[in-house]
Amino acid sequence: MRCPFCRGDDSKVVDSREVEEGQAIRRRRSCSECGSRFTTIEELVLTVVKRSGVTEPFSRDKVVRGVRRACQGRPVEDDALQQLAHRVEDAIRSLGLSEVPSHEVGLAILGPLRDLDEVAYLRFASVYRSFSSVEDFEKEIADLRTVGDGYAE
């Protein structure tokens, strides 16, 4: 790790702690050359593999943007969208993979979005699952009603 003060190459770890509910490690370091102390944050990089094979880092902001479109005109607050994105990231990380297919991200969005707003859920699901007919909507609405009544999970 390069020292941000003298650009020296050698530093030693003085202290380590888990942060962000264990998703990252905060390290306090000391430069062997100039003696300065600095902090680094080490985080597992979660990569999303798109259908085309292209990979990109997972982004909570991208989740929020996608879900926000489905929630347009609905009484959903930004804080709720941020919480949803956090739940999605937790679900994806719990898979224990460093590379996750994009369809897994979509699946991870559907459950929390259904709990947040059923209309937004239908909008998102119709695009994500490529609904092609009214029957697709009717089936999804019937499933929502069944789950909402507590008959299925």
Side-chain angles (χ1 to χ4, degrees), residues 23-117:
Q23 299 300 318
I25 299 174
R26 177 186 175 273
R27 298 197 193 279
R28 192 73 181 137
R29 296 178 174 272
S30 176
C31 177
S32 300
E33 293 181 33
C34 72
S36 297
R37 289 190 173 203
F38 57 98
T39 301
T40 59
I41 305 286
E42 296 176 19
E43 188 171 47
L44 173 67
V45 176
L46 184 58
T47 305
V48 177
V49 182
K50 300 180 122 191
R51 284 181 227 169
S52 65
V54 173
T55 61
E56 64 181 48
F58 175 84
S59 167
R60 280 190 202 170
D61 291 337
K62 192 167 182 177
V63 170
V64 168
R65 282 194 308 272
V67 173
R68 183 175 284 132
R69 273 184 252 132
C71 293
Q72 197 167 13
R74 302 294 303 155
V76 176
E77 296 185 15
D78 277 348
D79 190 45
L81 295 178
Q82 294 297 331
Q83 290 175 9
L84 181 140
H86 186 74
R87 286 177 62 191
V88 169
E89 183 175 9
D90 286 348
I92 295 298
R93 287 191 184 277
S94 73
L95 296 173
L97 304 171
S98 61
E99 288 189 344
V100 179
S102 60
H103 75 272
E104 290 291 336
V105 177
L107 289 174
I109 290 171
L110 288 173
L113 184 55
R114 182 178 43 231
D115 295 341
L116 182 64
D117 187 279

Side-chain angles (χ1 to χ4, degrees), residues 88-147:
V88 169
E89 183 175 9
D90 286 348
I92 295 298
R93 287 191 184 277
S94 73
L95 296 173
L97 304 171
S98 61
E99 288 189 344
V100 179
S102 60
H103 75 272
E104 290 291 336
V105 177
L107 289 174
I109 290 171
L110 288 173
L113 184 55
R114 182 178 43 231
D115 295 341
L116 182 64
D117 187 279
E118 290 179 342
V119 172
Y121 165 79
L122 277 173
R123 289 174 178 171
F124 188 89
S126 71
V127 174
Y128 178 71
R129 293 186 176 153
S130 303
F131 287 6
S132 58
S133 67
V134 172
E135 288 78 20
D136 292 337
F137 280 95
E138 288 173 341
K139 181 186 177 315
E140 198 65 41
I141 290 168
D143 289 348
L144 275 172
R145 286 186 175 137
T146 303
V147 171

